[in-house]
Amino acid sequence: MVFKTQNSYVYQEFGKEKADEDILSLNFLYLNSDKRLYPLALGFISTSFRRRIDSRYIFGAGLTYKIIDKKNNWLKAALTTEYENTNFLTTDFNKNMYDGMKSINTYRATLWINGSYKLFKEKLVLTHEFYVQPSLEESNNFRWRTDLALELPLWKYLNFKINYIHNYESIVVQGQQEEDNFLT
């Protein structure tokens, strides 16, 4: 059994004007992860200042399949189903059918593909994660994310990492863009 958690808090302001204040907690429980096919459970909690999301809870389960499982290279695909509850700070959305709703709840199916590759005698590490999350109830409610990272080990405990993230979310509050790009 393996429990994996990733937690972050981001606060940014520019010229004394708040730009971000976000919480993200991603939690996974893997059972028999040494097998080629194994079950997983997940629970996520998040907020988003810019997207005007007061809270988002996602809980679900599914299966992971190891496509490549070697010491320095691995590639996995997973299929999960989740229940999502998103509470917004406003009720005016880019899709009129959601106007007036402060909370949007749905069941989702998620396809995940992620991998890690150590190249050039482990002098370069390439990682990627991609997921697509359509609602099982409304065809216009979906999101996807691509996360690509390149890491250069410098010393035993120090790496240089460059990361590119592209997000798309089909339902956003009025005036927000559906896409985000981050290069860090």
Side-chain angles (χ1 to χ4, degrees):
M1 183 167 49
V2 175
F3 178 69
K4 177 183 169 186
T5 185
Q6 295 173 280
N7 300 285
S8 65
Y9 171 76
V10 174
Y11 181 87
Q12 295 185 84
E13 69 176 46
F14 300 99
K16 297 190 180 191
E17 186 173 324
K18 184 163 61 170
D20 280 307
E21 186 173 18
D22 302 342
I23 295 170
L24 178 62
S25 180
L26 307 174
N27 303 282
F28 296 90
L29 178 64
Y30 303 109
L31 302 172
N32 299 317
S33 61
D34 55 334
K35 306 280 187 194
R36 194 161 193 86
L37 181 68
Y38 57 91
L40 71 117
L42 58 87
F44 302 164
I45 299 170
S46 65
T47 64
S48 177
F49 176 77
R50 272 185 315 100
R51 293 205 175 269
R52 311 278 296 152
I53 296 173
D54 185 42
S55 62
R56 174 175 282 160
Y57 305 95
I58 300 174
F59 298 98
L63 291 171
T64 298
Y65 179 72
K66 295 179 185 177
I67 299 167
I68 299 172
D69 187 18
K70 299 189 177 187
K71 180 183 175 192
N72 289 332
N73 302 300
W74 58 266
L75 177 64
K76 297 177 186 178
L79 184 61
T80 58
T81 58
E82 304 90 17
Y83 173 76
E84 175 184 313
N85 170 269
T86 302
N87 299 301
F88 291 88
L89 295 168
T90 186
T91 59
D92 189 19
F93 296 95
N94 63 330
K95 301 205 181 319
N96 293 336
M97 69 181 285
Y98 296 100
D99 284 350
M101 300 172 71
K102 198 155 185 137
S103 180
I104 298 175
N105 306 312
T106 191
Y107 288 94
R108 294 191 182 278
T110 305
L111 173 64
W112 311 76
I113 299 173
N114 56 353
S116 178
Y117 315 95
K118 293 181 179 174
L119 309 168
F120 307 112
K121 298 182 182 177
E122 300 185 24
K123 300 293 182 201
L124 184 68
V125 181
L126 173 65
T127 57
H128 63 84
E129 179 178 79
F130 169 78
Y131 67 77
V132 60
Q133 258 184 342
S135 167
L136 296 174
E137 300 168 314
E138 300 289 338
S139 62
N140 68 349
N141 183 345
F142 62 94
R143 71 173 69 91
W144 59 269
R145 175 184 169 117
T146 299
D147 186 339
L148 301 170
L150 195 59
E151 200 167 339
L152 303 164
L154 302 175
W155 291 285
K156 188 174 182 177
Y157 299 106
L158 181 66
N159 291 1
F160 173 79
K161 184 176 183 178
I162 188 164
N163 204 75
Y164 173 71
I165 297 172
H166 183 100
N167 287 323
Y168 177 85
E169 193 155 345
S170 66
I171 299 172
V172 295
V173 299
Q174 194 65 38
Q176 285 290 318
Q177 293 184 2
E178 295 171 342
E179 294 184 64
D180 286 320
N181 293 287
F182 301 97
L183 181 63
T184 58

